[in-house]
PDB file of all heavy atoms in Angstrom:
ATOM      1  N   GLU A   1     114.680  93.377  89.039  1.00 95.00           N
ATOM      2  CA  GLU A   1     114.898  92.401  87.932  1.00 95.00           C
ATOM      3  C   GLU A   1     113.938  91.244  87.960  1.00 95.00           C
ATOM      4  O   GLU A   1     113.431  90.753  86.978  1.00 95.00           O
ATOM      5  CB  GLU A   1     116.404  91.904  87.931  1.00 95.00           C
ATOM      6  CG  GLU A   1     116.859  91.151  86.779  1.00 95.00           C
ATOM      7  CD  GLU A   1     116.940  92.103  85.510  1.00 95.00           C
ATOM      8  OE1 GLU A   1     117.062  93.261  85.673  1.00 95.00           O
ATOM      9  OE2 GLU A   1     116.823  91.544  84.374  1.00 95.00           O
ATOM     10  N   LEU A   2     113.679  90.761  89.177  1.00 95.00           N
ATOM     11  CA  LEU A   2     112.663  89.669  89.260  1.00 95.00           C
ATOM     12  C   LEU A   2     111.319  90.066  88.942  1.00 95.00           C
ATOM     13  O   LEU A   2     110.572  89.272  88.227  1.00 95.00           O
ATOM     14  CB  LEU A   2     112.695  89.209  90.738  1.00 95.00           C
ATOM     15  CG  LEU A   2     113.893  88.372  91.226  1.00 95.00           C
ATOM     16  CD1 LEU A   2     113.870  88.209  92.766  1.00 95.00           C
ATOM     17  CD2 LEU A   2     113.960  87.009  90.579  1.00 95.00           C
ATOM     18  N   HIS A   3     110.919  91.301  89.176  1.00 93.00           N
ATOM     19  CA  HIS A   3     109.615  91.762  88.769  1.00 93.00           C
ATOM     20  C   HIS A   3     109.516  91.775  87.251  1.00 93.00           C
ATOM     21  O   HIS A   3     108.362  91.447  86.683  1.00 93.00           O
ATOM     22  CB  HIS A   3     109.313  93.158  89.297  1.00 93.00           C
ATOM     23  CG  HIS A   3     108.951  93.208  90.788  1.00 93.00           C
ATOM     24  ND1 HIS A   3     109.262  94.191  91.639  1.00 93.00           N
ATOM     25  CD2 HIS A   3     108.323  92.150  91.486  1.00 93.00           C
ATOM     26  CE1 HIS A   3     108.785  93.898  92.837  1.00 93.00           C
ATOM     27  NE2 HIS A   3     108.199  92.705  92.774  1.00 93.00           N
ATOM     28  N   LYS A   4     110.524  92.098  86.578  1.00 90.00           N
ATOM     29  CA  LYS A   4     110.520  92.087  85.080  1.00 90.00           C
ATOM     30  C   LYS A   4     110.247  90.621  84.517  1.00 90.00           C
ATOM     31  O   LYS A   4     109.537  90.450  83.621  1.00 90.00           O
ATOM     32  CB  LYS A   4     111.827  92.638  84.498  1.00 90.00           C
ATOM     33  CG  LYS A   4     112.123  94.092  84.804  1.00 90.00           C
ATOM     34  CD  LYS A   4     113.463  94.489  84.327  1.00 90.00           C
ATOM     35  CE  LYS A   4     113.794  95.908  84.747  1.00 90.00           C
ATOM     36  NZ  LYS A   4     115.194  96.343  84.296  1.00 90.00           N
ATOM     37  N   ILE A   5     110.889  89.693  85.235  1.00 89.00           N
ATOM     38  CA  ILE A   5     110.752  88.299  84.815  1.00 89.00           C
ATOM     39  C   ILE A   5     109.385  87.800  85.069  1.00 89.00           C
ATOM     40  O   ILE A   5     108.767  86.984  84.317  1.00 89.00           O
ATOM     41  CB  ILE A   5     111.840  87.465  85.458  1.00 89.00           C
ATOM     42  CG1 ILE A   5     113.175  87.940  85.096  1.00 89.00           C
ATOM     43  CG2 ILE A   5     111.682  85.935  85.164  1.00 89.00           C
ATOM     44  CD1 ILE A   5     114.358  87.367  85.931  1.00 89.00           C
ATOM     45  N   VAL A   6     108.772  88.317  86.158  1.00 84.00           N
ATOM     46  CA  VAL A   6     107.401  87.788  86.542  1.00 84.00           C
ATOM     47  C   VAL A   6     106.472  88.087  85.404  1.00 84.00           C
ATOM     48  O   VAL A   6     105.599  87.325  85.009  1.00 84.00           O
ATOM     49  CB  VAL A   6     106.905  88.625  87.782  1.00 84.00           C
ATOM     50  CG1 VAL A   6     105.379  88.394  87.987  1.00 84.00           C
ATOM     51  CG2 VAL A   6     107.665  88.091  89.072  1.00 84.00           C
ATOM     52  N   HIS A   7     106.630  89.234  84.706  1.00 76.00           N
ATOM     53  CA  HIS A   7     105.759  89.648  83.606  1.00 76.00           C
ATOM     54  C   HIS A   7     105.963  88.841  82.381  1.00 76.00           C
ATOM     55  O   HIS A   7     105.221  88.981  81.328  1.00 76.00           O
ATOM     56  CB  HIS A   7     105.923  91.160  83.296  1.00 76.00           C
ATOM     57  CG  HIS A   7     105.483  92.047  84.476  1.00 76.00           C
ATOM     58  ND1 HIS A   7     104.240  91.996  85.019  1.00 76.00           N
ATOM     59  CD2 HIS A   7     106.167  92.993  85.158  1.00 76.00           C
ATOM     60  CE1 HIS A   7     104.146  92.878  86.001  1.00 76.00           C
ATOM     61  NE2 HIS A   7     105.299  93.477  86.105  1.00 76.00           N
ATOM     62  N   SER A   8     106.951  88.000  82.335  1.00 77.00           N
ATOM     63  CA  SER A   8     107.267  87.138  81.165  1.00 77.00           C
ATOM     64  C   SER A   8     106.785  85.709  81.335  1.00 77.00           C
ATOM     65  O   SER A   8     107.147  84.850  80.529  1.00 77.00           O
ATOM     66  CB  SER A   8     108.729  87.197  80.860  1.00 77.00           C
ATOM     67  OG  SER A   8     109.462  86.519  81.908  1.00 77.00           O
ATOM     68  N   GLY A   9     105.971  85.483  82.371  1.00 81.00           N
ATOM     69  CA  GLY A   9     105.283  84.129  82.456  1.00 81.00           C
ATOM     70  C   GLY A   9     105.534  83.309  83.758  1.00 81.00           C
ATOM     71  O   GLY A   9     104.814  82.367  83.924  1.00 81.00           O
ATOM     72  N   LEU A  10     106.592  83.606  84.509  1.00 90.00           N
ATOM     73  CA  LEU A  10     106.897  82.813  85.686  1.00 90.00           C
ATOM     74  C   LEU A  10     106.274  83.535  86.896  1.00 90.00           C
ATOM     75  O   LEU A  10     106.553  84.734  87.086  1.00 90.00           O
ATOM     76  CB  LEU A  10     108.374  82.746  85.873  1.00 90.00           C
ATOM     77  CG  LEU A  10     108.887  81.915  87.141  1.00 90.00           C
ATOM     78  CD1 LEU A  10     108.531  80.519  86.954  1.00 90.00           C
ATOM     79  CD2 LEU A  10     110.347  82.144  87.349  1.00 90.00           C
ATOM     80  N   TYR A  11     105.541  82.823  87.669  1.00 92.00           N
ATOM     81  CA  TYR A  11     104.972  83.305  88.837  1.00 92.00           C
ATOM     82  C   TYR A  11     106.162  83.303  89.961  1.00 92.00           C
ATOM     83  O   TYR A  11     106.679  82.252  90.220  1.00 92.00           O
ATOM     84  CB  TYR A  11     103.800  82.588  89.418  1.00 92.00           C
ATOM     85  CG  TYR A  11     103.231  83.042  90.745  1.00 92.00           C
ATOM     86  CD1 TYR A  11     102.164  83.973  90.681  1.00 92.00           C
ATOM     87  CD2 TYR A  11     103.733  82.642  91.887  1.00 92.00           C
ATOM     88  CE1 TYR A  11     101.687  84.444  91.894  1.00 92.00           C
ATOM     89  CE2 TYR A  11     103.221  83.136  93.071  1.00 92.00           C
ATOM     90  CZ  TYR A  11     102.170  84.005  93.095  1.00 92.00           C
ATOM     91  OH  TYR A  11     101.677  84.500  94.277  1.00 92.00           O
ATOM     92  N   VAL A  12     106.498  84.408  90.585  1.00 94.00           N
ATOM     93  CA  VAL A  12     107.546  84.520  91.545  1.00 94.00           C
ATOM     94  C   VAL A  12     106.982  85.164  92.823  1.00 94.00           C
ATOM     95  O   VAL A  12     106.456  86.250  92.808  1.00 94.00           O
ATOM     96  CB  VAL A  12     108.760  85.334  91.068  1.00 94.00           C
ATOM     97  CG1 VAL A  12     109.843  85.355  92.078  1.00 94.00           C
ATOM     98  CG2 VAL A  12     109.260  84.809  89.734  1.00 94.00           C
ATOM     99  N   LYS A  13     107.098  84.380  93.905  1.00 94.00           N
ATOM    100  CA  LYS A  13     106.633  84.943  95.184  1.00 94.00           C
ATOM    101  C   LYS A  13     107.965  85.433  95.945  1.00 94.00           C
ATOM    102  O   LYS A  13     108.935  84.684  96.137  1.00 94.00           O
ATOM    103  CB  LYS A  13     106.045  83.914  96.046  1.00 94.00           C
ATOM    104  CG  LYS A  13     105.438  84.478  97.279  1.00 94.00           C
ATOM    105  CD  LYS A  13     104.504  83.522  98.017  1.00 94.00           C
ATOM    106  CE  LYS A  13     103.865  84.160  99.283  1.00 94.00           C
ATOM    107  NZ  LYS A  13     103.004  83.201 100.011  1.00 94.00           N
ATOM    108  N   ILE A  14     108.021  86.750  96.168  1.00 95.00           N
ATOM    109  CA  ILE A  14     109.184  87.405  96.757  1.00 95.00           C
ATOM    110  C   ILE A  14     108.962  87.808  98.112  1.00 95.00           C
ATOM    111  O   ILE A  14     107.914  88.523  98.451  1.00 95.00           O
ATOM    112  CB  ILE A  14     109.552  88.590  95.817  1.00 95.00           C
ATOM    113  CG1 ILE A  14     109.697  88.232  94.363  1.00 95.00           C
ATOM    114  CG2 ILE A  14     110.808  89.306  96.384  1.00 95.00           C
ATOM    115  CD1 ILE A  14     109.873  89.355  93.386  1.00 95.00           C
ATOM    116  N   PRO A  15     109.826  87.431  99.066  1.00 96.00           N
ATOM    117  CA  PRO A  15     109.713  87.916 100.487  1.00 96.00           C
ATOM    118  C   PRO A  15     110.084  89.387 100.726  1.00 96.00           C
ATOM    119  O   PRO A  15     110.646  90.017  99.797  1.00 96.00           O
ATOM    120  CB  PRO A  15     110.541  86.929 101.238  1.00 96.00           C
ATOM    121  CG  PRO A  15     111.710  86.640 100.217  1.00 96.00           C
ATOM    122  CD  PRO A  15     111.076  86.743  98.889  1.00 96.00           C
ATOM    123  N   ASN A  16     109.826  89.813 101.921  1.00 97.00           N
ATOM    124  CA  ASN A  16     110.423  91.039 102.311  1.00 97.00           C
ATOM    125  C   ASN A  16     111.965  90.877 102.475  1.00 97.00           C
ATOM    126  O   ASN A  16     112.375  89.753 102.934  1.00 97.00           O
ATOM    127  CB  ASN A  16     109.785  91.578 103.636  1.00 97.00           C
ATOM    128  CG  ASN A  16     108.323  91.995 103.435  1.00 97.00           C
ATOM    129  OD1 ASN A  16     107.925  92.372 102.329  1.00 97.00           O
ATOM    130  ND2 ASN A  16     107.602  91.892 104.525  1.00 97.00           N
ATOM    131  N   PHE A  17     112.621  91.900 102.276  1.00 97.00           N
ATOM    132  CA  PHE A  17     114.123  91.900 102.531  1.00 97.00           C
ATOM    133  C   PHE A  17     114.473  92.882 103.596  1.00 97.00           C
ATOM    134  O   PHE A  17     115.701  93.258 103.754  1.00 97.00           O
ATOM    135  CB  PHE A  17     114.922  92.021 101.233  1.00 97.00           C
ATOM    136  CG  PHE A  17     114.824  90.896 100.287  1.00 97.00           C
ATOM    137  CD1 PHE A  17     114.055  90.991  99.156  1.00 97.00           C
ATOM    138  CD2 PHE A  17     115.402  89.661 100.639  1.00 97.00           C
ATOM    139  CE1 PHE A  17     113.986  89.847  98.295  1.00 97.00           C
ATOM    140  CE2 PHE A  17     115.264  88.599  99.827  1.00 97.00           C
ATOM    141  CZ  PHE A  17     114.618  88.616  98.677  1.00 97.00           C
ATOM    142  N   GLU A  18     113.500  93.312 104.365  1.00 96.00           N
ATOM    143  CA  GLU A  18     113.766  94.104 105.548  1.00 96.00           C
ATOM    144  C   GLU A  18     112.541  93.954 106.449  1.00 96.00           C
ATOM    145  O   GLU A  18     111.513  93.617 106.030  1.00 96.00           O
ATOM    146  CB  GLU A  18     113.942  95.661 105.101  1.00 96.00           C
ATOM    147  CG  GLU A  18     112.745  96.180 104.428  1.00 96.00           C
ATOM    148  CD  GLU A  18     112.904  97.673 103.999  1.00 96.00           C
ATOM    149  OE1 GLU A  18     113.804  98.330 104.611  1.00 96.00           O
ATOM    150  OE2 GLU A  18     112.281  98.115 103.090  1.00 96.00           O
ATOM    151  N   LEU A  19     112.787  94.255 107.776  1.00 96.00           N
ATOM    152  CA  LEU A  19     111.717  94.133 108.696  1.00 96.00           C
ATOM    153  C   LEU A  19     110.664  95.223 108.481  1.00 96.00           C
ATOM    154  O   LEU A  19     111.028  96.352 108.517  1.00 96.00           O
ATOM    155  CB  LEU A  19     112.326  94.218 110.104  1.00 96.00           C
ATOM    156  CG  LEU A  19     111.347  93.906 111.307  1.00 96.00           C
ATOM    157  CD1 LEU A  19     110.928  92.445 111.255  1.00 96.00           C
ATOM    158  CD2 LEU A  19     112.056  94.255 112.628  1.00 96.00           C
ATOM    159  N   LYS A  20     109.464  94.805 108.389  1.00 95.00           N
ATOM    160  CA  LYS A  20     108.328  95.757 108.256  1.00 95.00           C
ATOM    161  C   LYS A  20     107.276  95.570 109.318  1.00 95.00           C
ATOM    162  O   LYS A  20     107.279  94.571 110.013  1.00 95.00           O
ATOM    163  CB  LYS A  20     107.611  95.616 106.825  1.00 95.00           C
ATOM    164  CG  LYS A  20     108.581  95.889 105.719  1.00 95.00           C
ATOM    165  CD  LYS A  20     107.828  95.770 104.338  1.00 95.00           C
ATOM    166  CE  LYS A  20     108.761  96.173 103.095  1.00 95.00           C
ATOM    167  NZ  LYS A  20     109.112  97.562 103.132  1.00 95.00           N
ATOM    168  N   THR A  21     106.447  96.574 109.492  1.00 93.00           N
ATOM    169  CA  THR A  21     105.490  96.555 110.584  1.00 93.00           C
ATOM    170  C   THR A  21     104.386  95.503 110.375  1.00 93.00           C
ATOM    171  O   THR A  21     104.038  94.847 111.245  1.00 93.00           O
ATOM    172  CB  THR A  21     104.783  97.974 110.650  1.00 93.00           C
ATOM    173  OG1 THR A  21     105.876  98.945 110.988  1.00 93.00           O
ATOM    174  CG2 THR A  21     103.831  98.005 111.859  1.00 93.00           C
ATOM    175  N   GLU A  22     103.860  95.497 109.104  1.00 92.00           N
ATOM    176  CA  GLU A  22     102.765  94.607 108.825  1.00 92.00           C
ATOM    177  C   GLU A  22     103.065  93.127 109.058  1.00 92.00           C
ATOM    178  O   GLU A  22     104.226  92.627 108.755  1.00 92.00           O
ATOM    179  CB  GLU A  22     102.329  94.745 107.355  1.00 92.00           C
ATOM    180  CG  GLU A  22     101.141  93.885 107.021  1.00 92.00           C
ATOM    181  CD  GLU A  22     100.787  93.969 105.498  1.00 92.00           C
ATOM    182  OE1 GLU A  22     101.601  94.550 104.726  1.00 92.00           O
ATOM    183  OE2 GLU A  22      99.797  93.483 105.145  1.00 92.00           O
ATOM    184  N   ARG A  23     102.161  92.375 109.629  1.00 94.00           N
ATOM    185  CA  ARG A  23     102.297  90.930 109.810  1.00 94.00           C
ATOM    186  C   ARG A  23     101.194  90.214 109.134  1.00 94.00           C
ATOM    187  O   ARG A  23     100.031  90.625 109.177  1.00 94.00           O
ATOM    188  CB  ARG A  23     102.323  90.650 111.362  1.00 94.00           C
ATOM    189  CG  ARG A  23     103.542  91.219 112.059  1.00 94.00           C
ATOM    190  CD  ARG A  23     103.581  90.821 113.509  1.00 94.00           C
ATOM    191  NE  ARG A  23     102.532  91.551 114.265  1.00 94.00           N
ATOM    192  CZ  ARG A  23     102.465  91.505 115.598  1.00 94.00           C
ATOM    193  NH1 ARG A  23     103.318  90.719 116.242  1.00 94.00           N
ATOM    194  NH2 ARG A  23     101.475  92.171 116.212  1.00 94.00           N
ATOM    195  N   GLN A  24     101.588  89.028 108.541  1.00 93.00           N
ATOM    196  CA  GLN A  24     100.603  88.246 107.895  1.00 93.00           C
ATOM    197  C   GLN A  24     101.080  86.811 107.914  1.00 93.00           C
ATOM    198  O   GLN A  24     102.184  86.567 107.291  1.00 93.00           O
ATOM    199  CB  GLN A  24     100.240  88.685 106.490  1.00 93.00           C
ATOM    200  CG  GLN A  24      99.195  87.909 105.810  1.00 93.00           C
ATOM    201  CD  GLN A  24      98.922  88.357 104.434  1.00 93.00           C
ATOM    202  OE1 GLN A  24      99.804  88.885 103.724  1.00 93.00           O
ATOM    203  NE2 GLN A  24      97.718  88.147 103.970  1.00 93.00           N
ATOM    204  N   CYS A  25     100.433  85.948 108.512  1.00 91.00           N
ATOM    205  CA  CYS A  25     100.802  84.497 108.645  1.00 91.00           C
ATOM    206  C   CYS A  25     100.024  83.689 107.569  1.00 91.00           C
ATOM    207  O   CYS A  25      98.810  83.533 107.650  1.00 91.00           O
ATOM    208  CB  CYS A  25     100.580  83.946 109.966  1.00 91.00           C
ATOM    209  SG  CYS A  25     100.783  82.127 110.114  1.00 91.00           S
ATOM    210  N   ASP A  26     100.690  83.199 106.554  1.00 93.00           N
ATOM    211  CA  ASP A  26     100.057  82.358 105.538  1.00 93.00           C
ATOM    212  C   ASP A  26      99.459  81.054 106.062  1.00 93.00           C
ATOM    213  O   ASP A  26      98.371  80.633 105.616  1.00 93.00           O
ATOM    214  CB  ASP A  26     101.149  82.013 104.435  1.00 93.00           C
ATOM    215  CG  ASP A  26     101.359  83.074 103.463  1.00 93.00           C
ATOM    216  OD1 ASP A  26     100.563  84.095 103.461  1.00 93.00           O
ATOM    217  OD2 ASP A  26     102.240  82.993 102.583  1.00 93.00           O
ATOM    218  N   PHE A  27     100.077  80.457 107.056  1.00 94.00           N
ATOM    219  CA  PHE A  27      99.478  79.331 107.686  1.00 94.00           C
ATOM    220  C   PHE A  27      98.123  79.541 108.266  1.00 94.00           C
ATOM    221  O   PHE A  27      97.173  78.827 108.230  1.00 94.00           O
ATOM    222  CB  PHE A  27     100.415  78.683 108.763  1.00 94.00           C
ATOM    223  CG  PHE A  27     101.677  77.999 108.155  1.00 94.00           C
ATOM    224  CD1 PHE A  27     102.900  78.733 108.073  1.00 94.00           C
ATOM    225  CD2 PHE A  27     101.558  76.727 107.663  1.00 94.00           C
ATOM    226  CE1 PHE A  27     104.020  78.147 107.585  1.00 94.00           C
ATOM    227  CE2 PHE A  27     102.675  76.176 107.201  1.00 94.00           C
ATOM    228  CZ  PHE A  27     103.848  76.763 107.157  1.00 94.00           C
ATOM    229  N   ASP A  28      98.020  80.671 109.070  1.00 92.00           N
ATOM    230  CA  ASP A  28      96.777  80.987 109.737  1.00 92.00           C
ATOM    231  C   ASP A  28      95.688  81.562 108.738  1.00 92.00           C
ATOM    232  O   ASP A  28      94.554  81.183 108.838  1.00 92.00           O
ATOM    233  CB  ASP A  28      96.968  81.985 110.879  1.00 92.00           C
ATOM    234  CG  ASP A  28      95.852  82.026 111.851  1.00 92.00           C
ATOM    235  OD1 ASP A  28      95.586  80.993 112.429  1.00 92.00           O
ATOM    236  OD2 ASP A  28      95.239  83.085 111.998  1.00 92.00           O
ATOM    237  N   GLU A  29      96.134  82.462 107.883  1.00 92.00           N
ATOM    238  CA  GLU A  29      95.215  83.018 106.917  1.00 92.00           C
ATOM    239  C   GLU A  29      94.602  82.003 106.058  1.00 92.00           C
ATOM    240  O   GLU A  29      93.496  82.189 105.579  1.00 92.00           O
ATOM    241  CB  GLU A  29      96.005  84.109 105.956  1.00 92.00           C
ATOM    242  CG  GLU A  29      96.497  85.302 106.804  1.00 92.00           C
ATOM    243  CD  GLU A  29      95.340  86.204 107.232  1.00 92.00           C
ATOM    244  OE1 GLU A  29      94.234  86.123 106.802  1.00 92.00           O
ATOM    245  OE2 GLU A  29      95.618  87.111 108.154  1.00 92.00           O
ATOM    246  N   ASN A  30      95.293  80.899 105.789  1.00 94.00           N
ATOM    247  CA  ASN A  30      94.789  79.890 104.830  1.00 94.00           C
ATOM    248  C   ASN A  30      94.314  78.593 105.646  1.00 94.00           C
ATOM    249  O   ASN A  30      94.152  77.529 105.016  1.00 94.00           O
ATOM    250  CB  ASN A  30      95.854  79.501 103.863  1.00 94.00           C
ATOM    251  CG  ASN A  30      96.127  80.608 102.862  1.00 94.00           C
ATOM    252  OD1 ASN A  30      95.282  80.843 101.962  1.00 94.00           O
ATOM    253  ND2 ASN A  30      97.144  81.347 103.080  1.00 94.00           N
TER     254      ASN A  30
END
């Protein structure tokens, strides 16, 4: 449902809702 709203003009940053293998630190990457 959130993805549908994203396409109507609001930028939505959505986290993972389960533990995944990939790691990415926004603080370090930026």
Side-chain angles (χ1 to χ4, degrees):
E1 192 67 23
L2 287 170
H3 281 150
K4 295 175 185 176
I5 298 167
V6 168
H7 295 304
S8 65
L10 178 72
Y11 180 93
V12 183
K13 187 170 184 181
I14 305 170
N16 292 332
F17 290 109
E18 60 181 336
L19 188 66
K20 295 183 180 292
T21 301
E22 181 186 10
R23 293 182 290 185
Q24 184 180 29
C25 173
D26 278 349
F27 286 99
D28 197 61
E29 293 289 344
N30 290 284

